[in-house]
Amino acid sequence: MLEGRTGAGNLGKENIDEVIRLLGWVQTRRDHGGVIFVDLRDRSGITQVVFNPDMPEDAFELAEKLRSEFVIEVTGKVRSRPSGSENPNMKTGEIEVVAESLHILNKAKTPPFYIQDQVDVDESVRLKHRYLDLRRPEMQKIFMIRHRVMQIMRSFLDQNGFLEIETPVLCKSTPEGARDYLVPSRVNQGTFYALPQSPQIFKQLLMVSGMEKYFQIARCFRDEDLRADRQPEFTQLDIEMSFIEIEDVLPLMENLVTKIFAEISGTKIPVPFPRLSYQDAMERFGSDKPDTRFGMELIDVAGVVKGSGFKVFTDILAKGGRVKGICAKNCAGMPRREIDALTGFVGIYGAKGLAYIVMGEEGLKSPILKFFTEEEINNLITVMGGETGDILFFVADKESVVHNTLGNLRLELAKRLGLIPEGSLNCLWVTEFPLLEYDEEEKRYVAIHHMFTSPMEEDLPLMETDPLKVRAKAYDLVLNGMELGGGSIRIHRRDVQEKIFDLLSLSTEEAYDKFGYLLDAFEYGTPPHGGIAFGLDRLTMILAGRENIRDVIAFPKTQSASCLLTQAPSPVEEKQLQELHIKLNVKKK
RNA sequence: GGCCCCGUGGUGUAGUGGUUAACAUGCCUGCCUGUCACGCAGGAGAUCGUCGGUUCAAGUCCGAUCGGGGUCGCCA
């Protein structure tokens, strides 16, 4: 059937007088009674087919029966459109195909929405009929980009000596990290596999195996709540290498990322990417994935306010908290109610209030002025870099709340003020992450990256004295304020790994139960190794200019982790449950 | 689990508590030989997500629930 087929979207003046065969869908039919125009669409694009009454009568009658989305086969001759009827809005608008024969390969029901770009239709309707949604050219373009990205990754890594190796999808459940998706075992009553959150342990085992350079485009699963950029199953480019240090990983990955952007969007990203320590990222931007496309950095004002009469600030400082601010340029005209609404905004992130000073033309306006001396206010303005026309915002709280709040307020204001330059690509590495953080709920340390991440050598002594100060050999690639990838140099020494388990309050038995095989493996000559993983979906989002991860996944889940097309998840037969030795205990609603 | 937004013919929207729920588009029928979101004429198509409440009267007000989206928590 494909023999001698021509793509509709690639026809042009150079094809004039060629007799061609098109296979595709009816985009639109315009029936003028005597002459019928059909726009025929296939993956390559759209071309206009003309049906004249002087063609065989039965073929013309057939053309009158055509409707949207009928699948047809047309044979005809390419010709120049009559002068004056060219369509400059169409890639193939200079030519048309005069139909000589028509076959209807299949009829179609009227689709629930237009098969064209910029459809204004509820996303749930698109998802229910995803196979139709994916017919739209803009969706097809996304998946062509996604495909190209994967091909570039594969060829780049192949050329650099990496082996593509698959790892299991049915895995062992591990503590820590995200909630696992579980799969009951039929053969082994009462036991479960977990779907991989990432191929982490297997890729390290492959390093023990001497594979030296591994990659995989791997599906990962995390049973957590969804977001605009988060799906329960997603795809990572997973990479691991032996005999490396950070300085081997980052430049190689910079080459890969710049190659992808150069080939897909023709954008040149300068290398090396800037690096920012976690500490600096948090202090300056209030985020470990800072958007550095604009300024408005966080400024510490503790030095200015610590001796003041403003108890809200001084009390928090006394308790070890922080007082920081951002300067919103040219915002003094912001209406009072909008400023008040920002108090609600910062409340989302746990801040109890938002102090501000409006630097208007007629002087300063602020509910907190009365607590400060003139000198203190002048110092505050100087430190903040405030000028007439600005608003200074302040948050006082414990450090995590201050950073989170101001970091998000900074992004929100930048969006409202249009400070983020369109089309700019801003790649950077965030390095020197802390190894551990303290979990108040569980009253113990937890790993920030994961528990196989190597501490920095010079910080090893701190593991005994001040574990929270220990920095990890971990790095994240951040693009336009989005975490695109992350990785680390791993622990390859058993004694260090056991020390980590110890700090994480994993007992030796527990550690052995969960990771004994890994600890055993580490005793058989493990090379120093490390790696990284990139979120393919997020990368495709940026390359395709999408703000929603569902758009770059062929068959995504809704926010409640269900598939509107297949109705998954769904109840199963009692017999299936019995085979799996499972009894349900469902809460009645 | 919390907060916020949305739900009206196939699709997108309008709709002061008060007649037969309006408009656009799509669909069907007829007409039409140069359109390209063709045009013209006519027609069909809605238990206003669901359940309950207030009211003489509910698409409209209230509550619950279901579904979709955003977000906080969560996501090593």
Side-chain angles (χ1 to χ4, degrees):
Chain A
M1 185 175 252
L2 285 174
E3 180 81 27
R5 180 197 185 188
T6 307
N10 305 320
L11 295 170
K13 289 220 170 221
E14 64 281 5
N15 303 99
I16 284 171
D17 287 338
E18 285 176 25
V19 174
I20 58 155
R21 205 161 61 88
L22 296 168
L23 295 166
W25 288 260
V26 174
Q27 174 72 32
T28 51
R29 180 190 58 118
R30 294 177 293 279
D31 186 345
H32 288 245
V35 62
I36 299 171
F37 299 101
V38 166
D39 290 341
L40 184 147
R41 184 193 72 243
D42 61 29
R43 202 179 78 183
S44 66
I46 291 174
T47 215
Q48 173 168 285
V49 179
V50 188
F51 293 89
N52 283 311
D54 55 1
M55 70 189 295
E57 197 175 306
D58 51 340
F60 189 77
E61 278 173 19
L62 208 52
E64 288 179 319
K65 291 199 171 69
L66 292 177
R67 294 294 181 272
S68 290
E69 300 308 311
F70 277 29
V71 187
I72 57 172
E73 173 182 6
V74 172
T75 310
K77 192 184 260 186
V78 180
R79 75 171 178 201
S80 205
R81 290 201 189 182
S83 166
S85 67
E86 301 90 350
N87 185 346
N89 301 320
M90 227 173 144
K91 198 183 154 212
T92 59
E94 290 189 309
I95 56 97
E96 61 191 7
V97 175
V98 185
E100 288 166 9
S101 78
L102 165 69
H103 292 290
I104 295 179
L105 302 177
N106 212 342
K107 296 179 173 183
K109 284 168 69 173
T110 304
F113 51 85
Y114 305 100
I115 309 300
Q116 62 186 37
D117 291 351
Q118 284 117 38
V119 280
D120 183 17
V121 56
D122 196 86
E123 197 185 350
S124 57
V125 179
R126 289 172 51 205
L127 291 178
K128 187 175 172 195
H129 304 276
R130 187 61 156 179
Y131 42 88
L132 295 178
D133 191 36
L134 294 176
R135 271 187 203 169
R136 298 164 48 231
E138 64 176 345
M139 295 305 283
Q140 299 208 337
K141 190 174 160 228
I142 291 171
F143 290 93
M144 291 175 197
I145 290 173
R146 192 174 167 125
H147 165 80
R148 285 297 311 144
V149 172
M150 287 197 278
Q151 297 316 310
I152 295 166
M153 288 171 166
R154 285 207 161 95
S155 74
F156 177 90
L157 291 166
D158 176 51
Q159 283 159 21
N160 281 278
F162 285 79
L163 303 179
E164 182 169 5
I165 302 174
E166 291 151 279
T167 56
V169 164
L170 296 175
C171 299
K172 185 177 168 72
S173 179
T174 54
E176 310 277 306
R179 191 177 294 112
D180 281 327
Y181 271 100
L182 296 177
V183 179
S185 164
R186 175 184 57 84
V187 179
N188 304 282
Q189 294 202 26
T191 63
F192 296 83
Y193 303 97
L195 303 182
Q197 296 177 26
S198 78
Q200 186 59 39
I201 292 176
F202 287 109
K203 69 174 173 175
Q204 291 191 245
L205 290 170
L206 287 171
M207 295 303 103
V208 181
S209 308
M211 293 297 178
E212 300 202 9
K213 290 178 170 183
Y214 140 95
F215 85 97
Q216 180 180 195
I217 296 177
R219 193 64 61 84
C220 305
F221 306 86
R222 295 177 189 175
D223 187 5
E224 298 290 350
D225 286 353
L226 291 82
R227 288 287 187 280
D229 62 352
R230 244 160 57 187
Q231 282 273 304
E233 57 178 305
F234 59 99
T235 306
Q236 282 192 344
L237 171 63
D238 194 47
I239 293 173
E240 196 77 5
M241 289 178 276
S242 293
F243 308 114
I244 50 132
E245 264 300 342
I246 293 182
E247 293 314 319
D248 299 295
V249 183
L250 304 199
L252 186 69
M253 293 303 112
E254 287 172 359
N255 287 344
L256 173 58
V257 169
T258 50
K259 189 179 169 69
I260 290 168
F261 276 97
E263 288 195 21
I264 303 285
S265 53
T267 353
K268 271 194 93 155
I269 305 175
V271 287
F273 300 161
R275 297 188 195 179
L276 208 54
S277 72
Y278 173 87
Q279 181 74 20
D280 287 346
M282 295 307 290
E283 286 293 337
R284 291 172 55 192
F285 302 99
S287 169
D288 63 356
K289 45 180 199 298
D291 191 336
T292 57
R293 287 176 295 177
F294 63 99
M296 216 189 328
E297 296 189 15
L298 279 55
I299 295 160
D300 192 333
V301 296
V304 181
V305 302
K306 67 168 183 278
S308 75
F310 191 31
K311 267 182 77 69
V312 175
F313 283 4
T314 53
D315 284 357
I316 278 164
L317 289 173
K319 279 188 279 183
R322 307 285 303 269
V323 183
K324 297 177 79 166
I326 54 176
C327 174
K329 289 281 164 204
N330 305 312
C331 281
M334 189 185 283
R336 173 67 190 272
R337 94 190 107 74
E338 208 173 312
I339 297 175
D340 288 342
L342 287 175
T343 306
F345 176 82
V346 300
I348 299 172
Y349 305 99
K352 287 164 211 73
L354 180 66
Y356 61 88
I357 299 174
V358 179
M359 301 184 64
E361 297 286 347
E362 308 89 42
L364 305 180
K365 268 186 288 182
S366 165
I368 63 168
L369 281 183
K370 55 180 179 281
F371 300 109
F372 296 99
T373 65
E374 198 167 322
E375 191 192 352
E376 284 166 343
I377 289 166
N378 286 336
N379 288 342
L380 205 50
I381 289 170
T382 308
V383 169
M384 294 292 297
E387 296 167 307
T388 301
D390 300 347
I391 301 183
L392 310 177
F393 290 103
F394 303 95
V395 172
D397 214 303
K398 62 180 180 185
E399 182 173 282
S400 60
V401 171
V402 168
H403 285 161
N404 196 22
T405 303
L406 286 176
N408 282 104
L409 180 62
R410 174 179 172 270
L411 290 175
E412 176 67 18
L413 289 172
K415 264 180 230 157
R416 291 193 197 179
L417 301 171
L419 297 183
I420 303 171
E422 285 285 321
S424 69
L425 289 170
N426 190 287
C427 281
L428 64 104
W429 294 105
V430 176
T431 59
E432 297 175 48
F433 278 79
L435 188 68
L436 304 165
E437 64 187 340
Y438 192 74
D439 186 318
E440 295 289 347
E441 256 175 51
E442 297 194 34
K443 302 282 178 221
R444 64 182 186 93
Y445 295 109
V446 293
I448 284 187
H449 185 56
H450 59 58
M451 63 180 88
F452 312 110
T453 300
S454 173
M456 292 175 70
E457 265 92 34
E458 58 263 48
D459 291 353
L460 280 175
L462 289 169
M463 287 177 53
E464 307 292 342
T465 56
D466 195 354
L468 291 176
K469 287 253 168 67
V470 177
R471 290 165 301 164
K473 290 185 185 173
Y475 32 82
D476 275 2
L477 179 66
V478 176
L479 173 52
N480 293 354
M482 184 185 275
E483 183 194 330
L484 245 196
S488 64
I489 303 299
R490 327 296 183 189
I491 299 167
H492 63 283
R493 278 166 44 189
R494 178 165 173 159
D495 59 329
V496 177
Q497 187 65 64
E498 284 189 339
K499 179 69 205 164
I500 298 290
F501 286 152
D502 188 34
L503 280 169
L504 297 177
S505 305
L506 268 177
S507 69
T508 313
E509 303 85 67
E510 220 177 333
Y512 241 88
D513 177 48
K514 302 292 183 190
F515 302 110
Y517 56 98
L518 183 66
L519 295 173
D520 283 345
F522 280 172
E523 296 198 90
Y524 289 97
T526 304
H529 63 284
I532 193 165
F534 291 98
L536 179 68
D537 313 285
R538 289 181 183 178
L539 180 59
T540 308
M541 273 171 77
I542 289 169
L543 286 164
R546 292 283 160 163
E547 296 193 344
N548 177 329
I549 199 171
R550 293 181 297 277
D551 281 347
V552 302
I553 294 175
F555 299 100
K557 305 278 190 290
T558 67
Q559 194 165 67
S560 51
S562 56
C563 173
L564 293 178
L565 173 59
T566 63
Q567 297 298 311
S570 58
V572 296
E573 297 290 325
E574 181 59 31
K575 182 164 176 281
Q576 292 175 281
L577 291 176
Q578 278 170 14
E579 284 174 340
L580 296 168
H581 324 289
I582 286 178
K583 238 188 219 149
L584 295 181
N585 180 19
V586 181
K587 257 188 269 173
K588 287 211 177 72
K589 297 222 166 168

